[in-house]
Amino acid sequence: MNGIKGSGLGLSKASWRLHSLCLLLALGSFVWGYNVGVLASVLAHPGFRETIPGYGPYRRGLITAIYYLGTWLSYVFFSRPAADLLGRRYAAMVGMSVLCVGQALQAAASGSVALIMVMFGRVVSGLGTGIVSTSVPLYQSEIAPAKQRGKLVVLNHVGFVAGLASGFWVGYAITFWSDTYGYQSGWRFSVSLSFIPALLFLIGLPFLYESPRWLVEHGRVDKALKALKFYREGSFTPSQIQDELTDIKRNVSAYQATSLKKWTALFTNPSLFSRLWRATLLHFMAQMCGATAMKYYLPELFRVLGLSSRTSLLAGGIESTLKIGCTVLEVFVIDKVGRRVTLAVGAGIMAFALLINGALPLAYPNNTSRAADYTCVVFIFIYSLGYSMGFGPAAWVYGSEIFPTAARARGLSFAASGGAVGSIIVSQLWPIGIAELGSKIYFFFMAVNLVCVPIIFLLYPETKGRPLEDMEVLFGGYEGRTPSTTSLLLSDERDDGDEEDEDEDERPGRPLLGDGRDGTVLPR
């Protein structure tokens, strides 16, 4: 058992492989983030505004929100079957291909059907994004060792914010393309640039090993062992790798012997539903905190504070670039302090930043104080810090790790649909709220963030450092089984401050997931 202590990732072959693969996978989120970031500049581009007939706040909100209808449809109907039937890698490839089709439709929009093409393209892009955004963190969580799972999944969000920043910088650069062709088609060029990282993503995925957990579920145990050896070489001994495979097989077999593989089990089984509503609410809160508005309407928010259109895009690029650093910092924090602390602290920071942005424009209306305006700009940056170290990455980490193998894809997909609903609400609410209420709309989102803090601490159990096969300890399950071998081995790997979690893992008779009638007390 001591052989695993301190092994971690270090500079082993597993370290280089896992980090390199997660950076490649992050290209999928890079494309997602780029399309979000560049749309903020597209919505402000004069050529785009002329292309869309009757362009105004309501159509701007509709163009933004319709994308999330596509992601919601994907999360509910398509992403789970794709990830379970095709595997995590090929599902991501299909999703990226669909996403590119949607981007092509938007870039080609023109004439009297321009609005229809843009909206249809946004829906199609949303369908593809829904598949990519779930299959990639599923893959990352299923190949990562328990102690490093948080930071490896957070690398996915690093890709997202890097894409977001790139989209803003491209949008800023396009403002200097001021000739007739740039005026008419600069926004089309910026949308089309996403095809480059998408192509690299599609080329690289076939060369990766499939998730060992997905392979075991589909009866390919030999390939699963080969994949585990590839991802653990130099970090774990052969016997420890075999023990991990044994635990995966036990977990998968336990599900295959029940009716829990049916999608309705997410709602009828108490333990699965306990996970589902928590993950769904977390994704919903991650968007209702105001993040969707900050991503899409950031240049508009800066212009209200007195910045010019070009300077607003420059400030958006700086803000998004700072997010990269904040998210990289989260890579080193999330597995040490845990998911709950990062979520709660992030929500608190966002609430305070929103308070400042709501109050100062009321105290100094009509840009009468440049100091107040610049203070608001600074606190928009601070808001981004809170999101990048809280809801942004942690919601995906939490949702990708709490479900068992047989239900992980559909569990995360349904949970992510909660985020899509939140995004639809916010993307419609924000532009109308700014137009009708001005800075008072910030107070609404401040209140949402404040409410999130006690919800996180009261309703969400901590999951850091716990093997995927041992989440049943937190949410209930089958009775009559001893702790998994992986759990016992990894107990020595955890930080000294995790004694309470270790005691839970090592207690006899640890239940597996079941019908919730085993006496396990679920967190309230």
Side-chain angles (χ1 to χ4, degrees), residues 49 54-64 297 300 427-428 430-436:
R49 294 187 175 208
Y55 186 82
Y58 287 92
R59 290 203 170 181
R60 183 168 68 244
L62 181 61
I63 290 171
T64 304
Y297 304 125
E300 185 68 28
S427 58
Q428 283 286 287
W430 189 280
I432 297 173
I434 286 290
E436 300 294 334

Side-chain angles (χ1 to χ4, degrees), residues 463-512:
T463 57
K464 69 166 184 170
R466 191 177 295 277
L468 293 178
E469 281 66 45
D470 277 1
M471 293 296 170
E472 297 86 355
V473 173
L474 302 176
F475 300 98
Y478 297 119
E479 50 186 9
R481 186 181 166 218
T482 57
S484 69
T485 308
T486 305
S487 174
L488 293 174
L489 287 171
L490 290 180
S491 63
D492 278 352
E493 186 186 3
R494 295 186 181 135
D495 297 333
D496 294 337
D498 294 336
E499 293 178 2
E500 182 178 344
D501 287 343
E502 291 175 12
D503 291 340
E504 280 188 322
D505 284 353
E506 296 181 357
R507 66 187 180 187
R510 181 186 65 80
L512 285 171

Side-chain angles (χ1 to χ4, degrees), residues 33-293:
Y34 177 86
N35 290 334
V36 171
V38 83
L39 182 69
S41 64
V42 168
L43 292 174
H45 194 279
F48 178 78
R49 294 187 175 208
E50 284 190 6
T51 301
I52 304 299
Y55 186 82
Y58 287 92
R59 290 203 170 181
R60 183 168 68 244
L62 181 61
I63 290 171
T64 304
I66 199 74
Y67 169 82
Y68 290 103
L69 173 62
T71 61
W72 182 83
L73 291 171
S74 182
Y75 290 142
V76 173
F77 297 108
F78 303 116
S79 59
R80 194 283 304 172
D84 279 346
L85 297 177
L86 302 177
R88 309 330 188 195
R89 295 176 307 152
Y90 289 109
M93 291 180 66
V94 169
M96 183 60 71
S97 300
V98 173
L99 193 160
C100 288
V101 171
Q103 291 302 107
L105 286 169
Q106 293 174 65
S110 62
S112 60
V113 295
L115 178 61
I116 295 175
M117 290 184 68
V118 168
M119 291 179 61
F120 186 65
R122 293 279 291 162
V123 172
V124 173
S125 292
L127 290 172
T129 298
I131 298 174
V132 174
S133 64
T134 51
S135 57
V136 168
L138 279 174
Y139 185 89
Q140 289 171 316
S141 70
E142 291 182 346
I143 66 174
K147 193 175 182 181
Q148 289 82 27
R149 186 174 59 245
K151 74 174 183 178
L152 289 174
V153 178
V154 169
L155 285 175
N156 185 52
H157 196 72
V158 173
F160 175 82
V161 294
L164 191 70
S166 299
F168 271 107
W169 285 116
V170 168
Y172 174 67
I174 290 296
T175 64
F176 293 93
W177 190 1
S178 56
D179 60 19
T180 302
Y181 187 75
Y183 180 87
Q184 294 176 346
S185 302
W187 67 272
R188 302 180 195 274
F189 176 80
S190 61
V191 170
S192 301
L193 280 179
S194 64
F195 296 139
I196 297 174
L199 181 61
L200 295 175
F201 182 77
L202 291 171
I203 291 174
L205 278 185
F207 295 98
L208 306 184
Y209 281 93
E210 184 52 80
S211 157
R213 287 168 171 83
W214 183 88
L215 290 169
V216 169
E217 188 180 11
H218 288 76
R220 305 175 191 178
V221 178
D222 291 340
K223 289 186 177 181
L225 179 59
K226 185 181 293 186
L228 273 178
K229 288 179 178 178
F230 181 78
Y231 293 128
R232 302 291 184 264
E233 184 178 358
S235 293
F236 298 88
T237 66
S239 62
Q240 291 164 351
I241 295 171
Q242 188 63 53
D243 287 335
E244 183 175 0
L245 179 65
T246 299
D247 288 331
I248 294 172
K249 290 163 60 179
R250 286 177 182 171
N251 187 269
V252 171
S253 297
Y255 276 89
Q256 290 177 339
T258 70
S259 61
L260 297 182
K261 290 197 68 174
K262 297 179 179 179
W263 71 269
T264 53
L266 285 171
F267 302 92
T268 59
N269 179 268
S271 182
L272 282 180
F273 185 68
S274 174
R275 307 172 198 221
L276 178 65
W277 71 257
R278 284 177 171 83
T280 304
L281 178 61
L282 190 60
H283 277 272
F284 182 73
M285 292 190 298
Q287 299 307 319
M288 289 302 297
C289 69
T292 300

Side-chain angles (χ1 to χ4, degrees), residues 329 349 457 496:
L329 181 61
I349 291 173
F457 278 116
D496 294 337

